[in-house]
Amino acid sequence: AQTVTQSQPEMSVQEAETVTLSCTYDTSESNYYLFWYKQPPSRQMILVIRQEAYKQQNATENRFSVNFQKAAKSFSLKISDSQLGDTAMYFCAFMKHQDSNYKLTFGKGTLLTVNP
Amino acid sequence: EAGVAQSPRYKIIEKRQSVAFWCNPISGHATLYWYQQILGQGPKLLIQFQNNGVVDDSQLPKDRFSAERLKGVDSTLKIQPAKLEDSAVYLCASSLRQGAFSWEQFFGPGTRLTVL
């Protein structure tokens, strides 16, 4: 079974600064996806960024980028130029790609607060 | 396009009572997921449907939880009888079954259940 660990329950950052959220995972699979999801207070979960395990290049989406270290099974999220709207719970998630059964395994989340 | 709809948004019941949650996925999405998100934890998959068939219900407490997806569109998740530990947010998500983007899950706003 896959496990996802987020070791930082809470983090805070000043507006316009950069913050990095950590995530490690454990799997014996070679073909999988990794995701970061954002869950704002009382709002629905949305996808922030996705990384495919076979790709060595780190994914980027505007101010969001990842540092994917496959051998170390590490998948951190960097948020640059933090904005007040980035305040949310962030979940790291793993998806095994097997027989087209796309099942997500989530970490416990990191609560990020962006301070003005 | 319209997102995943869920109702009710909030529900408070006494233990041993029954409760039902409803989900309407994005039009055309063949795969539907129900997750349980207990406070302080990441979402945990309860059941996955492909059209109106069950793909994975390995983590569904079948002695008290049941789910159906009639006609492969809307879905209902039921708890009977409820226990205190069922207090959680119940998230519904949907995804396309075919194509390059079938990995992407779109989440609804969730139903927050409080069992007293």
Side-chain angles (χ1 to χ4, degrees):
Chain A
Q2 284 67 232
T3 59
V4 178
T5 302
Q6 294 179 249
S7 58
Q8 306 152 315
E10 295 186 37
M11 294 190 72
S12 63
V13 64
Q14 293 299 120
E15 196 175 6
E17 293 188 345
T18 296
V19 64
T20 299
L21 309 184
S22 301
C23 172
T24 58
Y25 60 95
D26 189 25
T27 185
S28 59
E29 302 291 330
S30 58
N31 188 13
Y32 54 89
Y33 300 103
L34 293 164
F35 305 87
W36 280 97
Y37 279 89
K38 170 184 178 181
Q39 190 176 41
S42 300
R43 294 179 61 186
Q44 61 204 78
M45 192 163 332
I46 57 174
L47 178 66
V48 174
I49 199 165
R50 173 182 70 111
Q51 176 78 42
E52 291 151 294
Y54 70 87
K55 289 186 177 179
Q56 293 188 339
Q57 185 174 7
N58 290 324
T60 61
E61 287 288 342
N62 301 312
R63 298 182 295 108
F64 299 88
S65 62
V66 299
N67 184 1
F68 174 47
Q69 302 290 328
K70 190 172 183 179
K73 297 181 181 176
S74 170
F75 183 60
S76 62
L77 174 70
K78 185 172 80 171
I79 306 174
S80 303
D81 186 25
S82 297
Q83 300 176 0
L84 296 178
D86 294 333
T87 292
M89 198 73 172
Y90 287 82
F91 292 97
C92 178
F94 173 99
M95 177 184 280
K96 181 173 63 173
H97 185 172
Q98 179 182 15
D99 299 327
S100 299
N101 180 9
Y102 299 98
K103 176 180 176 178
L104 279 168
T105 300
F106 288 88
K108 290 189 174 183
T110 296
L111 178 60
L112 176 67
T113 302
V114 181
N115 299 309
Chain B
E1 67 182 358
V4 176
Q6 290 188 248
S7 68
R9 293 295 310 277
Y10 304 92
K11 190 74 176 179
I12 300 174
I13 61 173
E14 301 279 337
K15 61 183 179 183
R16 292 187 289 274
Q17 286 186 326
S18 62
V19 65
F21 313 127
W22 173 83
C23 173
N24 182 248
I26 293 173
S27 177
H29 281 196
T31 308
L32 186 147
Y33 309 81
W34 281 103
Y35 290 88
Q36 180 191 57
Q37 185 178 12
I38 293 173
L39 185 64
Q41 298 183 20
K44 181 185 80 171
L45 179 69
L46 292 176
I47 189 167
Q48 177 185 349
F49 290 95
Q50 182 65 37
N51 296 310
N52 60 354
V54 176
V55 174
D56 184 348
D57 64 356
S58 57
Q59 298 193 87
L60 186 74
K62 298 180 186 63
D63 58 333
R64 298 183 300 107
F65 286 66
S66 64
E68 60 182 8
R69 191 182 183 196
L70 299 176
K71 300 180 182 178
V73 182
D74 294 7
S75 178
T76 302
L77 176 68
K78 296 180 181 178
I79 307 175
Q80 181 179 8
K83 293 185 175 182
L84 296 177
E85 59 260 36
D86 297 333
S87 293
V89 175
Y90 291 84
L91 298 171
C92 180
S94 69
S95 66
L96 287 168
R97 173 61 179 87
Q98 299 174 355
F101 298 98
S102 54
W103 50 266
E104 185 167 6
Q105 296 184 22
F106 296 84
F107 286 82
T111 296
R112 182 177 297 277
L113 173 67
T114 301
V115 182
L116 304 176

